[in-house]
């Protein structure tokens, strides 16, 4: 579980449908051809983080087989640009659900903790965005931070985010 320095406050768990999830830059570290996987953990990680949620249409319908491609920095705030550590993609289940086991990425100069995501319904436009950790003190200083992209955090070590995409 996360250490005391990474405790984030409880926030509401419902996200409304209708509005598409806000877009954000993919940044300079996106790589194509990430491996398909639901866990970025390599067995050596003592502290982990689980991100889960759903992918929905603007009409609140689940989007099955939506592609989600995740990537983020490591424990030192570095991105693996040679391999695929803390990178991977998966597809939503029939109810639009997804689950990713990973770590809380470290901050790096000028940025708060965040997870990059590309989300795409089959045959539709890709939505690129970033997810943020609620209550992180660096959020206030990050020029890209948007409160509407903060994950919900019902318990330490867990994040919830429902994407609303063109479907």
């Amino acid at each position: 579980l996360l250490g005391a320095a990474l405790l984030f406050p409880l926030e509401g768990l419902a996200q409304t449908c209708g509005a598409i999830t806000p877009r954000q830059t993919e940044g300079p570290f996106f790589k194509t051809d990430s491996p398909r996987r639901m866990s970025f953990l390599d067995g050596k990680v003592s502290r982990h983080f689980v991100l889960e949620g759903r992918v929905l249409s603007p009409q609140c319908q689940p989007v099955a087989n939506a592609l989600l491609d995740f990537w983020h920095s490591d424990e030192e705030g570095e991105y693996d640009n040679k391999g695929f550590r803390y990178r991977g993609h998966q597809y939503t289940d029939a109810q639009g659900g997804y689950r990713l086991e990973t770590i809380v990425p470290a901050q790096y100069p000028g940025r708060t903790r965040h997870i990059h995501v590309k989300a795409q319904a089959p045959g539709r436009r890709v939505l690129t965005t970033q997810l943020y950790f609620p209550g992180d003190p660096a959020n206030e200083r990050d020029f890209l931070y948007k409160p509407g992209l903060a994950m919900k955090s019902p318990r330490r070590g867990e994040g919830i985010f429902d994407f609303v995409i063109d479907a």
Side-chain angles (χ1 to χ4, degrees):
L1 295 178
L2 300 176
L6 297 177
L7 292 177
F8 303 111
L10 177 66
E11 293 194 2
L13 298 179
Q15 176 169 337
T16 60
C17 298
I20 301 289
T21 299
R23 296 180 181 281
Q24 287 204 312
T25 178
E26 73 180 27
F29 303 115
F30 175 70
K31 288 178 66 173
T32 60
D33 302 320
S34 69
R36 184 175 179 175
R37 58 185 172 179
M38 296 176 66
S39 178
F40 293 174
L41 303 179
D42 59 10
K44 300 176 190 170
V45 177
S46 59
R47 298 182 322 194
H48 68 277
F49 183 78
V50 175
L51 170 61
E52 59 187 359
R54 297 174 302 156
V55 176
L56 303 167
S57 73
Q59 297 77 32
C60 291
Q61 297 302 308
V63 181
N65 297 314
L67 171 66
L68 293 169
D69 197 339
F70 298 98
W71 71 101
H72 61 76
S73 67
D74 64 15
E75 301 88 343
E76 305 298 321
E78 300 288 327
Y79 285 85
D80 181 0
N81 292 317
K82 294 180 181 172
F84 290 97
R85 188 167 185 233
Y86 302 121
R87 297 176 183 271
H89 73 273
Q90 61 181 267
Y91 295 91
T92 58
D93 63 23
Q95 292 77 41
Y98 71 91
R99 178 182 168 91
L100 176 67
E101 295 177 351
T102 189
I103 65 163
V104 174
Q107 296 176 9
Y108 56 89
R111 295 301 317 273
T112 191
R113 298 173 205 284
H114 61 281
I115 297 174
H116 296 270
V117 186
K118 287 185 178 277
Q120 181 181 25
R124 303 304 282 236
R125 183 176 176 204
V126 175
L127 172 94
T128 303
T129 196
Q130 298 177 39
L131 301 181
Y132 299 96
F133 291 81
D136 192 303
N139 289 346
E140 301 287 323
R141 298 185 303 271
D142 190 315
F143 68 103
L144 288 174
Y145 173 75
K146 288 186 178 180
L149 292 172
M151 294 174 267
K152 309 307 178 205
S153 186
R155 286 179 284 287
R156 188 174 12 172
E158 295 180 6
I160 297 172
F161 193 87
D162 291 343
F163 295 94
V164 178
I165 64 174
D166 177 28

